Amino acid sequence: MKILVVDDEPAIVDLINLNLQLEGFESISCNNGFDAIKIAKSQNPDLILLDIMMPGLDGFQVCKALQKLNIPIILLTARNSIKDKLCGLELGADDYITKPFDNRELIARIKTVLRRVNKYSSKDESSIAAGPISINLIERKVHIDEREVFLTPKEYDLLLLFIENQRKVFSRENILESVWGYEYMGDSRTVDMHIQRLRRKLGDYSVFIKTVFSIGYKFEVNYEA
């Protein structure tokens, strides 16, 4: 699998590339956000390791620019504030790791994200549907009334979780564990924000996502307001 490493510190890039290659990954790299966007669009990597603090375009801006490409992103940064984590996750990043990091942890995080992204591709079924909403599991594309709707990776994973578990009630903690895939040490309000954005993209069918008072959410196909 091909991984794009974006960081303006050459020593960090060299170390990450070495560890990726030892694990059998193909790595490509650049040192700024503008090149990151160009390479992501032209080479379609399987995952991007993206530094936040870079001159020119920072990692948050790059993350936002690449949302429609649906490429998993792990943010790398020396900052460890909850605000930064929430900002990155709300822009569609799949994980967040703070510098300095252990190389074994980085590789483990990469493998976890890749497994989560591809965990449905081995199924015989190539698609799943709920009412007017259909998901192509191989291409990770969503159509509503046969019109493609662009979701961030997290919005896609959230919708898939709901559709595969219709009428099941999820707490916010359940959703964080299932969609983010690791122990999330921040504010569970990020779930509410992703739900709000997903509802907006579902349009008239936002009513399928039900709020369960004092517990969390569930997904049920009906047309009641």
Side-chain angles (χ1 to χ4, degrees):
M1 300 188 106
K2 184 187 300 180
I3 297 179
L4 171 60
V5 182
V6 186
D7 198 302
D8 62 337
E9 297 183 54
I12 291 179
V13 173
D14 290 344
L15 182 60
I16 292 175
N17 283 338
L18 175 60
N19 281 276
L20 290 174
Q21 291 161 14
L22 289 173
E23 289 291 328
F25 293 107
E26 176 186 353
S27 63
I28 49 178
S29 59
C30 63
N31 60 10
N32 64 83
F34 297 102
D35 287 344
I37 294 172
K38 292 178 183 178
I39 294 173
K41 290 181 177 180
S42 64
Q43 299 200 33
N44 192 31
D46 296 289
L47 183 141
I48 301 174
L49 295 175
L50 178 62
D51 184 33
I52 291 179
M53 300 297 291
M54 294 185 296
L57 289 181
D58 65 24
F60 293 138
Q61 293 170 303
V62 174
C63 198
K64 184 175 182 179
L66 296 178
Q67 280 183 339
K68 290 187 177 181
L69 294 186
N70 209 24
I71 300 172
I73 295 174
I74 296 178
L75 294 175
L76 308 174
T77 182
R79 304 190 304 193
N80 193 30
S81 72
I82 295 301
K83 181 179 179 180
D84 287 341
K85 291 182 179 181
L86 286 174
C87 183
L89 296 172
E90 287 158 12
L91 288 172
D94 291 78
D95 203 344
Y96 185 111
I97 188 166
T98 304
K99 300 176 183 176
F101 48 80
D102 185 278
N103 293 317
R104 294 168 298 179
E105 179 186 4
L106 178 62
I107 295 299
R109 294 284 188 97
I110 291 171
K111 291 180 178 179
T112 296
V113 170
L114 289 175
R115 279 196 300 269
R116 188 162 68 243
V117 168
N118 295 302
K119 63 182 178 180
Y120 301 105
S121 62
S122 61
K123 294 185 176 182
D124 293 336
E125 299 84 0
S126 62
S127 65
I128 188 172
I133 304 171
S134 64
I135 299 178
N136 184 312
L137 301 174
I138 305 300
E139 299 181 357
R140 289 175 61 86
K141 291 183 178 180
V142 175
H143 289 80
I144 300 178
D145 288 328
E146 300 184 354
R147 175 179 59 86
E148 185 172 1
V149 176
F150 294 100
L151 304 182
T152 67
K154 279 292 173 286
E155 291 166 352
Y156 172 93
D157 290 341
L158 182 58
L159 179 61
L160 184 58
L161 175 71
F162 280 142
I163 289 181
E164 289 204 317
N165 297 275
Q166 293 188 52
R167 294 182 293 280
K168 178 178 178 179
V169 178
F170 288 93
S171 68
R172 290 167 178 81
E173 290 71 24
N174 293 152
I175 293 172
L176 284 171
E177 182 179 352
S178 298
V179 174
W180 273 257
Y182 62 97
E183 186 177 0
Y184 181 69
M185 300 301 293
D187 194 328
S188 62
R189 287 179 301 175
T190 190
V191 172
D192 298 328
M193 299 180 73
H194 278 78
I195 293 287
Q196 291 174 11
R197 294 179 180 182
L198 181 57
R199 279 174 167 161
R200 284 198 294 269
K201 293 184 179 181
L202 293 182
D204 293 340
Y205 307 115
S206 62
V207 293
F208 292 174
I209 302 178
K210 313 290 186 183
T211 299
V212 182
F213 181 70
S214 78
I215 300 178
Y217 300 94
K218 70 174 181 177
F219 185 93
E220 185 174 6
V221 175
N222 61 52
Y223 297 86
E224 297 178 4

